Amino acid sequence: MLGTSGVTVRFGKRVLYEDVNVKFTPGNCYGVIGANGAGKSTFLKVLTGELEPSEGEVYMTKNERLGVLKQDHYMYDDVKVIDTVIRGNERLYQIMQEKDALYAKPDFSDEDGIKAGELEAEFAELNGWMADTDAAQLLNGLGIETELHECLMRELSGPQKVKVLLAQALFGNPDVLILDEPTNHLDMAAISWLEEFLINFENTVIVVSHDRYFLNKVCTHILDIDYGKINIFVGNYDFWYESSQLALKQMKEANKKKEEKIKELEDFIRRFSANASKSKQATSRKKTLEKIELDEIKPSTRRYPFIDFKPEREAGKEILSVENISKTIDGEQVLKNVSFKVLKGDKIALVGSNGIAKTTLFKILMGEIKPDTGSFSFGQTIKQSYVPQDNEEYFKSQKSIVEWIADDYGITDETIVRSFLGRMLFSGDEALKKINVLSGGEKARCMLARAMLEAPNLVFLDEPTNHLDLESITALNEGLIRTNAELIFVSHDHQFVQTVANRIIEIKDDGIIDKRCTYDEYLEQNLDLMKKETSFLEE
């Protein structure tokens, strides 16, 4: 059992949270949520012992083991993939190394035999004879094929390394499993496998994630970091959201009734305090007034941007026609005879195993590269905007965010730019930040801001939720549901795709599958997509 007693974390004068008392029990999955900077990852570091709390302590049942998802993707570059996974149980791996060293000795002594016997007993107790098999099953479940298991970690791509490190955290049935953003860089098949693993996991799970569908699927409890506190809610993410909104609404309504009562008493006191016959009643009401206290509603650390794509003009009948587009990159054909037409009201999700194929299609449609064969055409009324997955090229100058927006769009009135940026959470001095030092989440919001300013009626979005926090993802999600613009987008966020898309196009090796339906309906009709999909995302 893992828990905290009176834990406070502060950096200088800033207090992240104080007097945290939480007990994590087996059989439950705890989702840790909060705004960017609230201290989610910091809390996980406190739990794992990587960071000492300013006050209080973390306690854990003796001899229990933590499984932790490592964030350093280069830590095991000179280690075999299968050995990296087994090192999730460091004691077992140590025994295996000691055994091999003992049995390799040319002068194996009686003392060595005794030591070997002790190691063999502990090895069996830790289920060491199944170590290779268990590690291989985890790797295969996450989409790392058997022929890669004996490779060195340095030979794997970035997304593949993430999967191996995840397998390492899961290995050996840890008593407490701590995962920081485990679905990042995972394809949907791997995410689905992980969901099932965690649902069936009998010990304790503590997870930070921006994936709402994932949190809803696996969590039994939510730890909400806000207002300088960590509060625990029973239920999944949606239950937390509804209950927290209801609690805030009830508090505001209660305060409104109290404010009305206060005004009524103040009016009475003002009118009758000088009237001898009413003075006693006025005094009584004054005492009542003094007892009424409004509930303190602290400002939340959560901030929601306002994301709204308003087309400058409505799209005409002809929007986009794609005819037999094919493209080969580095000897691999990523697109073959891709044909489709975008119709009025379409919100199209592109899905499929090959991430390069989807990004390549976007680049062709935006004129960045040419297809080998085939063609495409936009209608005369169409004004398109593109939010790419890789946006680094846009952020290499020394301009401030205000200058970057004003110069690119010819806006001379800085107050107009600042007003717009304020809606995207760049207010005050934040709008003066240099664009080349922005965080991933800030860059993502900047790219969405640019796209909105262009007032397009056809929007291309390649993994737009990458780097965004839950609040920004929610705002983008609602904005795309609300917009009248036509959309073509790629996302690995299940809930995002399910709630926005009304048409699914799967890009396959030999063409496409085109269905007018929701994402969940599509998956029901094409179960092999979830079973066979593997990640080919670029590092």
Side-chain angles (χ1 to χ4, degrees), residues 303 401-402 414 418 421-422 425-433:
R303 301 164 69 203
I401 302 174
V402 169
E414 185 175 309
R418 280 184 167 275
L421 289 175
L425 308 184
F426 296 108
S427 56
D429 291 343
E430 289 181 335
L432 300 178
K433 283 184 177 180

Side-chain angles (χ1 to χ4, degrees), residues 48-102:
T48 61
E50 187 178 340
L51 179 70
E52 284 289 328
S54 306
E55 296 174 18
E57 64 173 357
V58 176
Y59 59 86
M60 186 171 180
T61 303
K62 190 177 180 181
N63 296 326
E64 287 195 342
R65 188 171 66 83
L66 282 175
V68 181
L69 175 58
K70 301 287 197 308
Q71 299 299 315
D72 184 352
H73 298 173
Y74 303 97
M75 186 175 181
Y76 300 98
D77 269 3
D78 295 321
V79 180
K80 286 183 180 180
V81 168
I82 194 80
D83 290 342
T84 300
V85 176
I86 295 172
R87 288 186 70 163
N89 187 335
E90 198 60 52
R91 177 54 187 156
L92 174 60
Y93 184 75
Q94 183 183 1
I95 291 170
M96 293 170 71
Q97 299 296 104
E98 289 182 25
K99 281 175 52 186
D100 289 345
L102 272 178

Side-chain angles (χ1 to χ4, degrees), residues 194-339:
L194 178 60
E195 287 168 355
E196 291 303 314
F197 181 94
L198 296 181
I199 288 169
N200 295 312
F201 189 69
E202 295 180 352
N203 297 333
T204 304
V205 182
I206 304 167
V207 59
V208 169
S209 178
H210 288 147
D211 188 327
R212 296 161 297 167
Y213 184 87
F214 179 78
L215 291 174
N216 279 328
K217 195 85 180 284
V218 305
C219 288
T220 59
H221 296 72
I222 295 292
L223 265 69
D224 179 30
I225 303 178
D226 204 0
Y227 309 108
K229 298 286 185 181
I230 299 182
N231 294 309
I232 189 165
F233 295 79
V234 177
N236 62 13
Y237 177 78
D238 279 351
F239 184 84
W240 162 82
Y241 183 79
E242 295 296 332
S243 59
S244 62
Q245 293 299 108
L246 179 61
L248 184 60
K249 181 181 178 183
Q250 288 173 339
M251 190 180 294
K252 288 179 177 179
E253 289 176 350
N255 273 356
K256 185 178 180 181
K257 289 179 181 178
K258 289 178 182 179
E259 287 168 352
E260 291 171 354
K261 183 66 175 176
I262 289 170
K263 187 176 184 302
E264 179 186 318
L265 291 170
E266 287 175 339
D267 288 345
F268 186 91
I269 293 166
R270 186 169 50 253
R271 283 187 290 127
F272 297 111
S273 58
N275 186 318
S277 64
K278 298 284 188 178
S279 62
K280 285 188 177 180
Q281 293 182 43
T283 301
S284 175
R285 280 166 170 74
K286 189 175 181 180
K287 289 180 179 179
T288 302
L289 177 62
E290 291 170 352
K291 294 178 181 178
I292 297 177
E293 293 182 3
L294 295 178
D295 294 319
E296 183 183 5
I297 301 178
K298 296 181 180 179
S300 172
T301 55
R302 288 187 167 82
R303 301 164 69 203
Y304 291 83
F306 182 74
I307 299 175
D308 193 23
F309 287 92
K310 288 186 176 179
E312 192 173 78
R313 63 180 293 186
E314 187 178 341
K317 187 176 179 181
E318 298 294 327
I319 298 175
L320 170 63
S321 178
V322 176
E323 297 288 341
N324 295 318
I325 282 181
S326 296
K327 182 68 178 178
T328 297
I329 296 178
D330 295 332
E332 178 188 352
Q333 186 164 45
V334 294
L335 297 172
K336 182 177 181 180
N337 297 329
V338 173
S339 299

Side-chain angles (χ1 to χ4, degrees), residues 12-37:
K13 293 182 179 179
R14 185 189 175 206
V15 177
L16 283 183
Y17 23 79
E18 56 186 354
D19 195 26
V20 178
N21 299 284
V22 181
K23 183 186 292 184
F24 301 99
T25 55
N28 291 319
C29 178
Y30 299 84
V32 183
I33 63 172
N36 275 355

